[in-house]
Amino acid sequence: MERIGIIGAGQMGTGIAQICAVAGYDVRMIDVKDEVIAASLATIETNISRQVARGRLSVDAAEIAQQRIVTGKDYALFGDCDLVIEAASEDEEVKRDVLKSLVPHLSPDAIIATNTSSISITRLAAATDRPGKFVGMHFMNPVPVMQLVELIRAIQTEQPTFDTVRRLAESLGKTVSVAEDFPAFIVNRILMPMINEAIYTLYAGVGSVESIDTAMKLGANHPMGPLELADFIGLDTCLAIMHSLHSGLADAKYQPCPLLVKYVEAGWLGRKTKRGFYDYH
Ligand code: CAA
């Protein structure tokens, strides 16, 4: 494995590009928007400079890592990639369109991984020309900091594909947890209902935003309160994951809280829009 493609230069794609480049892989990253690519490269530069300042990376290694990242808008950039990681929005239609555009540009042996946090890997694999070479590779946010990569096997995933991607995750310094392909896998099947319940707790007037977050930070030792974490992940992503759980498992306990729905409808998506449960202006 030498060259890794990344589709989507949002917060997940950016973090994945950074850790791949620092680990010595050539990176090809595309996005539809120039300004998203520019912001992504600026974030990577800031993060890598901090690693240099902390003495974790030499100045030369930092420069080489940044030079390894080539960006653009065209899927042709992926022609000689050994693996492409899809990190587009958490929307099945968008991911299907992306995969359809990607496949004609890939070499026959290339593996496709999706960073989806809840959508069926089996369905996405079936939408490609290589379901055996398709796997779920779910990074956590912020990617450079979080230790875990959840690897999800679709029913079609071949063992050599799975083994290759596991080795890649370990070479990036991550610890792997293996999940079978059920809605939202492991992390989000447990985390999202907790966040949704925190929003119901707010909706029912049990406590204020600050009380709920303080309670969980100091009472359960979570690094962030659930509402702060929801803002950090993005409320649109939280809602999309709750929809996947609700429709995929057909259980009323996964119904998204109406307050979450309302915030998303208002365009209050958390940190990225500077407004969510907190105000970031
Ligand atoms: N990108 C890169 N590095 C970051 C970062 C980011 N976005 N945010 C923080 N860091 C780095 C900091 O630079 C700092 O590095 P140094 O050691 O070099 O100083 C280090 O992380 C610690 O950061 P801070 O001191 O600023 O803050 P903190 O100790 O409060 O940690 C945190 C910040 C790591 C984000 C912590 O609050 C945390 O762990 N929060 C919970 C995150 C979490 O639960 N993530 C999973 C979300 S679920 C998910 O991702 C799955 C999904 O599909 C939705």
Side-chain angles (χ1 to χ4, degrees):
M1 174 97 39
E2 285 174 18
R3 185 159 294 169
I4 297 175
I6 298 168
I7 303 173
Q11 46 182 2
M12 300 307 286
T14 298
I16 298 167
Q18 181 189 318
I19 61 168
C20 289
V22 169
Y25 296 99
D26 284 337
V27 174
R28 301 285 179 265
M29 177 165 64
I30 68 163
D31 198 285
V32 282
K33 291 186 185 155
D34 289 324
E35 63 272 23
V36 173
I37 292 174
S40 169
L41 292 174
T43 300
I44 291 172
E45 177 158 20
T46 306
N47 287 347
I48 287 185
S49 303
R50 199 174 43 236
Q51 291 197 28
V52 172
R54 292 266 194 263
R56 294 181 193 133
L57 208 59
S58 72
V59 174
D60 287 351
E63 202 169 300
I64 292 168
Q66 278 173 270
Q67 282 166 0
R68 285 195 190 108
I69 303 174
V70 175
T71 58
K73 292 171 107 171
D74 191 342
Y75 286 89
L77 215 54
F78 299 136
D80 52 2
C81 285
D82 305 299
L83 164 84
V84 176
I85 304 173
E86 173 279 311
S89 327
E90 191 63 3
D91 176 323
E92 189 161 342
E93 282 309 301
V94 171
K95 288 191 189 293
R96 281 173 179 274
D97 284 350
V98 158
L99 292 171
K100 203 170 147 199
S101 308
L102 166 69
V103 159
H105 297 279
L106 284 183
S107 84
D109 292 336
I111 293 173
I112 307 175
T114 172
N115 182 54
T116 179
S117 39
S118 66
I119 298 168
S120 164
I121 310 297
T122 303
R123 278 203 306 274
L124 292 176
T128 72
D129 62 343
R130 61 194 73 206
K133 293 191 169 62
F134 195 97
V135 67
M137 190 176 196
H138 182 211
F139 290 83
M140 305 297 131
N141 188 16
V143 176
V145 180
M146 303 299 283
Q147 192 57 48
L148 184 75
V149 171
E150 208 174 10
L151 285 190
I152 307 109
R153 210 192 304 265
I155 197 166
Q156 311 97 313
T157 310
E158 291 160 2
Q159 194 60 38
T161 300
F162 198 79
D163 295 341
T164 302
V165 174
R166 178 194 277 269
R167 279 195 299 275
L168 166 68
E170 288 168 354
S171 77
L172 298 173
K174 301 298 185 191
T175 300
V176 164
S177 163
V178 177
E180 297 304 324
D181 185 23
F182 288 93
F185 324 125
I186 297 174
V187 170
N188 282 324
R189 180 157 180 170
I190 299 169
L191 180 66
M192 265 323 139
M194 185 202 70
I195 287 177
N196 196 47
E197 195 58 32
I199 303 170
Y200 267 116
T201 307
L202 179 70
Y203 183 60
V206 179
S208 66
V209 169
E210 289 75 14
S211 296
I212 292 166
D213 277 351
T214 302
M216 294 308 288
K217 271 196 286 193
L218 303 186
N221 249 5
H222 291 189
M224 284 177 169
L227 301 173
E228 186 189 2
L229 183 57
D231 276 359
F232 179 67
I233 292 167
L235 301 191
D236 51 344
T237 301
C238 293
L239 181 60
I241 296 170
M242 287 311 297
H243 280 315
S244 289
L245 281 165
H246 194 216
S247 62
L249 296 167
D251 189 327
K253 75 180 177 186
Y254 299 114
Q255 193 169 355
C257 177
L259 191 60
L260 172 62
V261 175
K262 203 168 268 200
Y263 271 48
V264 173
E265 285 172 352
W268 298 349
L269 306 183
R271 278 199 200 184
K272 63 185 164 191
T273 59
K274 298 200 185 314
R275 175 148 192 192
F277 293 105
Y278 293 87
D279 189 342
Y280 301 92
H281 286 99

